[in-house]
């Protein structure tokens, strides 16, 4: 028959192992009647294994997936793809037989393609590595009969004995049989808590893990010798999917492939393309009809949905599914968002206070009073003419909304808010550590990264080629010196580029203001400054978004060429560079105006052509507020939200179009339902939490560093984070492959960065209030120069006089009669001597008085606020009292359990000794005749087996 001829190429040792796939039989040429008969006698194998969540036997759960690429011959189809894996046979055959389920290529005869030695080397490495995994106790099953052509999958299952062994090695805390009562509040606190629970019940997620617990199981590091202590009533769920994948990943990192003399772990195999991906599986589908209930579906409904934005996050379920590290990130993000609520309320009150008192603000009323007839000096040379101060009335009134006495109070409040937030998070973190059994957990040293191992391997090969002895190699500073030099040059170049862009924006503002002053109508000239500011800020926003993406890529590349040893080192170096670049482009926000612009007749020029731009009569704080608001809103809406939504959707659409083109080539294969590992392979790989943290750190900087100039920043941050939490949740649940669960007891270096920003915010806000706003000049005038103790006359006090005859040649206005009258004296904002003084245009005593007051305010504000922040730090304990009591209670209970166990052992031994002694006495009381005749009974008495 044709079938026998086609299958004659199979090796003899495989004929008794592999099960022929029904689809392969159809391809051979059986008629429809025979294939129908075979199909009727068989079940759907995909349904038995829950479409890839289990092995083909439907019993062993898939804990991890390895993916590889192979070259598939187009002349024939591989046979015998998915086959049951017998663990005992795999252990005995090791390297002699291929992995169960592995496809066997058909003989091509003379048409056999040319041998690809590179692909053969990868295949040999995979075979050895998978053999080593089997020796380590894992069970494997291969699948190459997938919809994705040229891609094979290796399914990994960890049996019970391997899970127990590795759990003991990793010192995983597991729940014991012992349960104890959690201390409950009493009296008034209990009533308050019950009322709060009833009020917040509608905003609690409908998740079992989120319900308040009154009892807790005592946890202890797993030990195979003490299995009787643990609750093993349900072995299938004792190690959840997150723990199982973590254990398998530890084995994958520890197991090596020793081909080419040098060992290579899973990270090196991934880096060298031996495997293309490695990931744990999601629990199942999250949408569709007849979807079985699973944690992923529950997370999608109660967490990753915009419809539940008002609810608390099910943090315990997030930790159960994704691990402690990701759970801590979302817990921190939730605490930060909650703490933004009081900050937003106070910010709104400060803003409303400015709105309510704007009509009572005497300086802005004086600026808007046209009866004062104050003529101001030109804002630019030649093209700009004299102008009335009353034309800046709108700007002055708007400045009062943000530049008022309440701003100082809000700056102090936000400094204390930052300290309170950090302390609140530390306490929340300790509660989570207790709840997640992380107390006493110590992080172990990470395994070397794949790139580091590859560099060490390359160095060893070079030394071996030179016939040198190769001990255990490692990278030294000499090996990294080119990378360090590249880092230094790259950072200097990017810093220079940033300041060049800042300089270009300044030139744009100056030249645009001059151009608009020439072409604008008299009514439009009053809005020149607003137009220039708005357009410049939009340019800033575009530049910042572009630079942020460029700097992120450059920072990652510079970190990669350094070849850090571990993932932790890589993350810390990447964070340092990203923060450095972020700090570098901050001048784009604040470097437009200089306090050293000069004076009429002696201005400061750039390249002897462009005059430095000065602040408006209403102050620079208003323009700084406009810049911050547009940049913060634009960055959050465009870069954070639009990019996070748009880019994954675009990638998903591209993958869909590729699959659609393939589907037209092989329609039959694409009609069947995809396996779970095929679906997850098409998802985006998890790239770490650094981008997520960095996004929030920058936002935290906006909220705290510039709060004196933009009190509505906490409100915008709150609105953004409400969307951000659900957006990130949806991305983790639906768009990304399931990450490997990583144990962690804190958020790591990010906590220190947040504390540093909080301290820096005090200093920056002190300087913003002192030198950017008019708060200090107003206080100085009120208490030193005011004749009646009011602010009347303040505007005139801050303006100096200039004789227009003292203009430098070529700088006077081209149209001096633009206002309809000849101007002899114009005013400008500065503290200088008048032209009729002996030392005309010199800095006056008022300037030094204001400067001294500003510096004194910086010192007093900084020290006072920092002292208050440290006091808040000290007065709030890091560990809640009830948690410390519960931890102590757990230790006492654990000691009691072991003491009872020891006492039980002693009692059992004494019982055995008594029984043995009594039996010995009974045997000695027998007569010698009986003893001789029943010698066998005597011996049996002394060898009586004790039933433990």
């Amino acid at each position: 028959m044709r079938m026998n001829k086609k299958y004659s190429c199979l090796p003899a040792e495989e004929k008794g192992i592999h099960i022929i796939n029904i689809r392969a039989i159809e391809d051979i040429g059986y008629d429809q009647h025979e294939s129908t008969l075979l199909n009727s006698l068989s079940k759907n194998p995909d349904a038995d294994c829950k479409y890839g969540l289990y092995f083909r036997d439907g019993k062993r759960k898939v804990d991890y997936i390895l993916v590889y690429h192979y070259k598939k011959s187009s002349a024939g189809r591989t046979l015998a793809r998915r086959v049951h894996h017998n663990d005992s046979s795999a252990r005995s055959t090791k390297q002699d037989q291929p992995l169960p389920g592995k496809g066997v290529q058909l003989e091509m005869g003379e048409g056999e393609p040319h041998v690809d030695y590179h692909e053969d080397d990868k295949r040999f490495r995979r075979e050895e590595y998978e053999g080593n995994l089997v020796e380590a106790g894992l069970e494997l099953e291969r699948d190459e009969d997938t919809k994705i052509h040229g891609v094979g999958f290796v399914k990994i299952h960890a049996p019970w004995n391997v899970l127990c062994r590795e759990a003991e090695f990793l010192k995983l805390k597991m729940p014991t049989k012992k349960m104890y009562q959690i201390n409950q509040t009493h009296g008034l606190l209990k009533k308050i808590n019950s009322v709060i629970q009833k009020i917040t019940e509608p905003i609690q997620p409908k998740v079992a893990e989120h319900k308040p617990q009154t009892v807790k199981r005592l946890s202890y590091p797993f030990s195979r010798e003490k299995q009787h202590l643990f609750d093993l009533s349900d072995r299938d769920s004792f190690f959840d999917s997150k723990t199982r994948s973590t254990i398998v990943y530890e084995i994958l990192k520890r197991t090596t492939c020793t081909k080419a003399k040098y060992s290579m772990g899973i990270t090196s195999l991934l880096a060298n393309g031996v495997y293309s991906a490695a990931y744990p599986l999601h629990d199942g589908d999250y949408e569709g009809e007849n979807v079985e209930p699973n944690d992923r579906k529950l997370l999608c409904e109660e967490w990753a949905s915009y419809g539940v934005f008002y609810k608390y996050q099910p943090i315990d379920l997030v930790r159960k599914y994704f691990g402690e590290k990701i759970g801590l990130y979302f817990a921190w993000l939730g605490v930060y968002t909650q703490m933004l609520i009081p900050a937003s309320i106070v910010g709104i009150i400060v803003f409303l206070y400015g709105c309510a008192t704007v009509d009572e603000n005497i300086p802005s009323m004086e600026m808007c009073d046209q009866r004062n007839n104050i003529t101001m000096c030109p804002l630019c040379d030649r093209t700009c003419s004299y102008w009335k101060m009353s034309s800046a009335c709108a700007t002055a009134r708007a400045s009062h909304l943000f530049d008022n006495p309440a701003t100082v109070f809000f700056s102090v409040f936000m400094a204390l808010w930052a300290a309170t937030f950090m302390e609140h998070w530390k306490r929340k973190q300790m509660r989570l550590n207790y709840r997640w059994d992380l107390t006493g957990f110590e992080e172990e040293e990470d395994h070397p990264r794949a790139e580091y191992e590859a560099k060490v391997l390359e160095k060893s090969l070079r030394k071996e080629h030179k016939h040198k002895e190769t001990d255990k190699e490692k990278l030294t500073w000499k090996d990294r010196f080119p990378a360090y030099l590249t880092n230094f040059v790259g950072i200097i170049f990017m810093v220079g580029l940033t300041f060049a862009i800042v300089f270009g924006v300044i030139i744009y503002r100056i030249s645009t203001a001059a151009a608009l002053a020439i072409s604008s109508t008299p009514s439009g000239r009053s809005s020149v400054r607003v137009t220039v500011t708005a357009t410049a800020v939009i340019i800033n926003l575009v530049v910042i978004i572009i630079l942020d993406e460029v700097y992120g890529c450059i920072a990652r590349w510079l970190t990669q060429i350094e070849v850090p040893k571990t993932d932790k080192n890589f993350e810390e170096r990447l964070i340092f560079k990203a923060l450095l670049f972020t700090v570098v482009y901050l001048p784009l926000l604040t470097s437009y105006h200089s306090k050293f612009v000069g004076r009429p007749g002696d201005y400061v020029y750039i390249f002897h052509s462009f005059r430095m731009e000065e602040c408006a009569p209403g102050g620079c704080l208003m323009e700084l507020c406009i810049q911050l608001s547009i940049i913060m809103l634009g960055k959050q809406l465009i870069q954070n939200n639009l990019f996070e939504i748009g880019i994954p959707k675009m990638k998903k659409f591209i993958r869909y179009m590729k699959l659609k083109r393939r589907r037209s080539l092989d329609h039959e294969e694409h009609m069947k339902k995809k396996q779970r590992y095929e679906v997850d392979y098409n998802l985006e790989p998890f790239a770490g939490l650094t981008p997520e943290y960095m996004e929030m750190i920058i936002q935290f900087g906006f909220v705290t560093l510039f709060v004196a100039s933009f009190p509505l920043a906490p409100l915008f941050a709150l609105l953004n984070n409400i969307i951000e939490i659900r957006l990130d949740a949806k991305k983790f649940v639906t768009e990304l492959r399931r990450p490997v669960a990583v144990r962690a007891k804190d958020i790591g270096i990010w906590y220190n960065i947040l504390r540093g920003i909080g301290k820096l915010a005090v200093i920056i806000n002190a300087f913003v209030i002192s030198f950017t706003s008019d708060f200090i000049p107003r206080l100085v005038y009120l208490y030193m120069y005011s004749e009646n103790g009011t602010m009347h006359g303040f505007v005139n006090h801050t303006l100096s006089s200039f004789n227009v005859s003292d203009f430098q040649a070529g700088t006077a206005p081209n149209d001096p009669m633009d206002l309809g009258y000849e101007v002899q004296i114009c005013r400008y904002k500065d503290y200088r001597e008048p032209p009729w003084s002996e030392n005309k245009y010199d800095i006056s005593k008022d300037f030094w008085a204001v400067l001294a007051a500003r510096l004194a305010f910086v010192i007093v504000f900084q020290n006072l606020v920092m002292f208050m922040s440290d006091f808040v730090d000290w007065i709030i304990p890091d560990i809640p009292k009830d948690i410390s009591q519960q931890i102590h209670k757990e230790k006492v209970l654990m000691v009691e359990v072991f003491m009872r166990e020891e006492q039980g052992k002693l009692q059992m031994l004494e019982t055995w000794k008594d029984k043995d002694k009594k039996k010995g006495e009974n045997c000695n009381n027998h007569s010698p005749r009986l003893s001789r005749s029943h010698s066998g009974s005597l011996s049996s008495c002394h060898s009586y087996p004790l039933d433990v």
Side-chain angles (χ1 to χ4, degrees):
M1 285 182 66
R2 184 181 176 187
M3 182 188 73
N4 295 333
K5 182 180 178 181
K6 193 163 187 176
Y7 278 93
S8 62
C9 63
L10 287 173
E13 64 270 18
E14 291 188 349
K15 289 181 180 179
I17 297 176
H18 291 285
I19 299 173
I20 299 174
N21 195 301
I22 299 301
R23 185 174 293 280
I25 295 176
E26 291 176 1
D27 293 337
I28 291 171
Y30 269 102
D31 59 12
Q32 185 66 28
H33 175 74
E34 293 174 357
S35 64
T36 305
L37 177 62
L38 288 170
N39 282 324
S40 64
L41 296 174
S42 64
K43 295 181 180 179
N44 183 4
D46 291 340
D48 291 340
C49 68
K50 295 188 178 180
Y51 295 97
L53 289 174
Y54 288 82
F55 276 23
R56 301 299 295 175
D57 57 13
K59 298 177 181 178
R60 291 172 291 174
K61 185 177 177 63
V62 177
D63 299 319
Y64 219 86
I65 291 292
L66 298 179
V67 188
Y68 61 91
H69 288 274
Y70 66 95
K71 290 188 177 180
K72 189 174 181 180
S73 175
S74 59
R77 187 182 299 273
T78 58
L79 304 177
R81 299 299 185 196
R82 299 169 178 161
V83 185
H84 295 283
H85 173 49
N86 190 324
D87 186 40
S88 60
S89 64
R91 291 175 185 270
S92 62
T93 57
K94 293 183 182 178
Q95 301 281 331
D96 299 330
Q97 292 183 1
L99 200 67
K102 181 177 178 179
V104 182
Q105 296 291 340
L106 299 175
E107 286 188 14
M108 300 300 300
E110 296 179 357
E112 186 176 357
H114 181 69
V115 178
D116 190 340
Y117 293 102
H118 184 61
E119 289 297 322
D120 286 345
D121 180 63
K122 288 184 179 180
R123 179 168 57 83
F124 292 148
R125 291 187 182 183
R126 285 197 295 268
E127 289 178 357
E128 185 199 0
Y129 184 71
E130 291 162 8
N132 293 339
L133 291 179
V134 172
E135 288 184 355
L138 297 178
E139 299 175 4
L140 311 182
E141 186 178 78
R142 191 187 301 276
D143 183 9
E144 290 181 358
D145 186 19
T146 63
K147 293 184 180 182
I148 309 173
H149 291 281
V151 177
F153 297 88
V154 177
K155 296 174 276 186
I156 302 177
H157 168 76
W160 173 256
N161 60 329
V162 174
L163 293 173
C164 294
R165 181 191 71 203
E166 297 298 323
E168 185 173 352
F169 291 165
L170 296 174
K171 299 178 182 178
L172 296 179
K173 278 191 171 183
M174 304 303 294
T176 63
K177 296 177 182 177
K178 176 68 175 177
M179 301 182 70
Y180 67 95
Q181 194 80 15
I182 298 176
N183 293 338
Q184 301 293 324
T185 56
H186 301 283
L188 181 61
L189 287 177
K190 185 177 181 180
K191 293 181 179 179
I192 294 174
N193 289 336
S194 63
V195 171
I196 293 175
Q197 287 179 4
K198 289 180 180 178
I199 294 174
T200 59
E201 187 176 357
I203 60 176
Q204 300 291 342
K206 298 177 182 178
V207 176
E209 287 80 359
H210 197 78
K211 294 179 180 178
Q213 298 178 348
T214 57
V215 294
K216 185 178 184 294
R217 287 193 179 273
L218 193 63
S219 297
Y220 185 73
F222 188 82
S223 173
R224 287 172 289 180
E225 295 180 355
K226 300 182 183 299
Q227 287 194 34
H228 58 278
L229 294 178
F230 298 93
D231 183 18
L232 302 179
S233 55
D234 186 4
R235 287 192 173 190
D236 294 335
S237 62
F238 183 73
F239 295 105
D240 56 15
S241 59
K242 178 248 316 176
T243 307
R244 297 176 70 99
S245 63
T246 302
I247 289 174
V248 173
Y249 183 64
E250 289 295 327
I251 299 176
L252 292 177
K253 289 194 296 183
R254 190 175 66 239
T255 306
T256 57
C257 169
T258 56
K259 287 287 184 185
K261 189 179 177 180
Y262 298 100
S263 62
M264 301 178 70
I266 184 61
T267 52
S268 297
L269 294 174
L270 288 168
N272 292 323
V274 178
Y275 292 103
S276 58
Y279 53 87
L281 292 179
H282 280 292
D283 279 358
D285 293 326
Y286 61 89
E287 60 182 359
E289 297 181 358
N290 303 322
V291 175
E292 294 185 4
N294 57 73
D295 287 343
R296 189 187 187 195
K297 185 174 184 296
L298 188 59
L299 282 172
C300 188
E301 293 172 352
E302 294 295 328
W303 182 51
S305 173
Y306 295 109
V308 294
F309 72 92
Y310 59 92
K311 287 187 176 183
Y312 285 101
Q313 299 182 85
I315 293 298
D316 292 325
L317 185 59
V318 174
R319 172 253 179 180
K320 177 185 174 184
Y321 193 80
F322 291 109
E324 286 79 7
K325 191 171 185 178
I326 294 176
L328 282 173
Y329 163 70
F330 281 103
W332 173 83
L333 184 56
V335 171
Y336 171 50
T337 304
Q338 288 177 5
M339 289 294 292
L340 283 172
I341 295 175
S344 302
I345 293 173
V346 177
I348 293 172
I349 293 173
V350 169
F351 179 75
L352 293 177
Y353 171 81
C355 295
T357 58
V358 67
D359 293 329
E360 302 173 2
N361 184 38
I362 295 175
S364 61
M365 291 171 60
E366 289 183 347
M367 288 184 64
C368 295
D369 191 357
Q370 297 183 0
R371 294 174 297 178
N372 289 334
N373 196 27
I374 298 177
T375 303
M376 303 297 293
C377 295
L379 296 175
C380 59
D381 294 340
R382 294 187 301 275
T383 57
C384 297
S385 184
Y386 305 106
W387 56 284
K388 292 284 189 180
M389 175 173 276
S390 57
S391 62
C393 175
T395 305
R397 290 174 63 85
S399 296
H400 179 72
L401 301 179
F402 305 98
D403 187 5
N404 56 68
T407 304
V408 181
F409 159 76
F410 192 50
S411 300
V412 176
F413 171 82
M414 287 304 295
L416 299 179
W417 172 87
T420 307
F421 162 60
M422 300 306 297
E423 290 302 309
H424 178 48
W425 166 243
K426 278 198 292 187
R427 292 169 62 85
K428 177 69 173 179
Q429 192 171 255
M430 283 304 303
R431 289 188 182 277
L432 293 177
N433 285 344
Y434 164 73
R435 212 158 69 202
W436 296 347
D437 298 322
L438 292 173
T439 53
F441 167 72
E442 295 294 335
E443 295 184 9
E444 299 179 356
E445 186 178 356
D446 292 339
H447 289 266
R449 297 176 64 248
E451 292 80 1
Y452 181 84
E453 290 182 339
K455 282 288 183 181
V456 171
L457 176 61
E458 184 182 343
K459 183 179 179 181
S460 302
L461 290 174
R462 284 200 307 267
K463 284 196 173 183
E464 184 184 8
H465 183 68
K466 295 178 181 179
H467 304 288
K468 294 183 179 180
E469 293 184 1
T470 56
D471 297 329
K472 190 174 181 181
E473 295 291 341
K474 63 179 181 179
L475 298 184
T476 62
W477 69 269
K478 292 181 180 179
D479 301 318
R480 291 191 173 103
F481 180 74
Y484 290 153
L485 184 62
T486 305
N487 270 261
F488 178 76
V489 174
I491 291 173
I492 294 298
F493 172 76
M494 297 311 296
V495 170
L497 176 64
T498 301
F499 280 100
I501 293 173
V502 172
F503 180 77
V505 175
I506 293 174
I507 297 299
Y508 163 80
R509 290 177 64 98
I510 296 172
S511 56
T512 304
L516 290 176
I518 297 174
S519 59
S520 295
T521 59
S523 60
R525 290 178 189 174
S526 60
S527 60
V528 167
R529 184 176 291 275
V530 176
T531 304
V532 171
T533 300
T535 55
V537 170
I538 293 174
I539 293 173
N540 294 343
L541 177 60
V542 174
V543 169
I544 286 176
I545 291 175
I546 294 174
L547 285 183
D548 206 18
E549 298 298 324
V550 172
Y551 284 178
C553 296
I554 292 176
R556 180 167 289 275
W557 176 73
L558 291 176
T559 308
Q560 286 173 347
I561 64 175
E562 286 184 36
V563 196
K565 184 176 181 180
T566 63
D567 288 329
K568 185 177 181 180
N569 293 339
F570 181 89
E571 185 180 11
E572 289 176 352
R573 297 187 185 194
L574 177 62
I575 291 168
F576 169 75
K577 293 181 182 65
L579 282 176
L580 179 64
F581 289 148
T582 302
V583 171
V584 162
Y585 69 66
L586 277 178
L588 284 171
L589 305 177
T590 57
S591 293
Y592 299 138
H593 304 289
S594 172
K595 292 293 181 181
F596 307 101
V597 297
R599 60 170 179 82
D602 189 19
Y603 283 111
V604 177
Y605 291 89
I606 302 175
F607 298 139
H608 303 286
S609 301
F610 299 98
R611 197 180 100 184
M612 286 293 294
E613 189 179 8
E614 56 188 304
C615 291
C620 294
L621 199 65
M622 182 60 195
E623 292 192 23
L624 181 60
C625 175
I626 294 173
Q627 294 164 17
L628 289 172
S629 60
I630 294 178
I631 290 173
M632 185 177 179
L633 286 174
K635 185 173 171 56
Q636 288 182 347
L637 292 176
I638 297 175
Q639 187 178 20
N640 297 349
N641 294 334
L642 188 61
F643 283 11
E644 286 190 20
I645 296 173
I647 292 178
K649 293 291 184 185
M650 185 175 64
K651 289 181 178 179
K652 194 173 182 180
F653 177 74
I654 292 173
R655 289 195 299 269
Y656 170 76
M657 294 304 295
K658 288 181 179 179
L659 290 174
K660 192 175 181 181
R661 285 198 298 269
R662 290 177 181 174
R663 191 172 302 169
S664 60
L665 299 175
D666 196 351
H667 180 70
E668 285 188 14
E669 281 199 16
H670 284 275
M671 288 299 292
K672 59 185 181 182
K673 184 177 179 179
K674 278 188 177 181
Q675 302 292 319
R676 177 78 264 153
Y677 42 85
E678 294 178 77
V679 177
D680 288 1
Y681 178 69
N682 290 325
L683 299 176
E684 285 292 309
F686 175 63
L689 290 171
T690 300
E692 312 298 336
Y693 272 115
M694 186 62 67
E695 177 185 336
M696 290 296 104
I697 290 295
I698 293 173
Q699 185 198 89
F700 184 77
F702 274 109
V703 169
T704 56
L705 294 176
F706 304 104
V707 72
S709 55
F710 189 36
L712 293 179
L715 176 63
F716 292 146
L718 173 64
L719 297 176
N720 174 80
N721 287 4
I722 291 174
I723 302 173
E724 181 72 21
I725 291 175
R726 308 303 166 180
L727 180 64
D728 284 348
K730 197 172 187 65
K731 181 172 66 175
F732 272 83
V733 174
T734 64
E735 302 290 342
L736 298 179
R737 293 176 191 162
R738 187 174 183 176
V740 180
V742 178
R743 288 190 297 169
K745 62 179 181 180
D746 52 38
I747 60 175
I749 193 175
W750 299 107
Y751 180 81
N752 295 328
I753 293 173
L754 289 168
R755 284 187 65 88
I757 292 175
K759 299 294 184 183
L760 183 62
V762 177
I763 301 172
I764 290 182
N765 282 318
F767 278 95
V768 167
I769 294 171
S770 183
F771 288 92
T772 304
S773 74
D774 284 337
F775 178 73
I776 300 301
R778 289 171 183 169
L779 286 181
V780 172
Y781 177 78
L782 185 64
Y783 292 105
M784 291 182 62
Y785 299 103
S786 177
E787 297 179 356
N788 52 7
T790 64
M791 293 301 296
H792 289 286
F794 169 73
V795 174
N796 186 64
H797 176 75
T798 58
L799 298 177
S800 298
S801 301
F802 178 74
N803 194 331
V804 297
S805 61
D806 293 331
F807 272 122
Q808 290 181 354
T811 61
N814 295 332
D815 186 10
M817 299 294 294
D818 184 60
L819 293 178
Y821 57 88
E822 184 179 359
V823 177
Q824 299 293 333
I825 299 293
C826 65
R827 309 294 297 275
Y828 61 98
K829 191 170 184 179
D830 205 347
Y831 292 100
R832 291 183 179 272
E833 298 290 342
W836 50 85
S837 174
E838 294 181 359
N839 303 316
K840 64 178 184 178
Y841 307 133
D842 285 350
I843 294 175
S844 64
K845 295 179 181 179
D846 299 341
F847 172 82
W848 298 112
V850 172
L851 180 61
R854 282 174 166 165
L855 294 175
F857 175 82
V858 169
I859 295 172
V860 172
F861 181 88
Q862 174 182 327
N863 286 279
L864 178 63
V865 174
M866 283 193 174
F867 169 76
M868 295 170 69
S869 300
D870 292 339
F871 180 74
V872 170
D873 251 350
W874 173 76
I875 201 172
I876 300 177
D878 294 344
I879 304 177
K881 186 177 180 180
D882 59 325
I883 296 299
S884 60
Q885 291 175 350
Q886 297 289 355
I887 294 173
H888 178 71
K889 185 177 181 179
E890 278 195 350
K891 293 179 180 178
V892 172
L893 289 174
M894 204 71 243
V895 171
E896 289 180 0
V897 169
F898 285 120
M899 290 299 293
R900 289 177 183 173
E901 185 181 7
E902 292 298 324
Q903 291 174 1
K905 288 180 180 179
L906 291 174
Q907 291 176 0
M908 189 178 296
L909 288 174
E910 291 176 359
T911 304
W912 289 348
K913 288 179 180 179
D914 293 341
K915 287 183 178 180
D916 194 28
K917 187 176 179 181
K918 290 179 180 179
K919 288 173 183 175
E921 291 176 354
N922 293 333
C923 291
N924 290 333
N925 291 332
H926 288 296
S927 63
R929 184 175 59 83
L930 289 174
S931 299
R932 285 193 299 269
S933 63
H934 295 87
S935 58
S937 300
L938 281 171
S939 61
S940 64
C941 287
H942 289 285
S943 62
Y944 186 82
L946 296 176
D947 186 15
V948 181

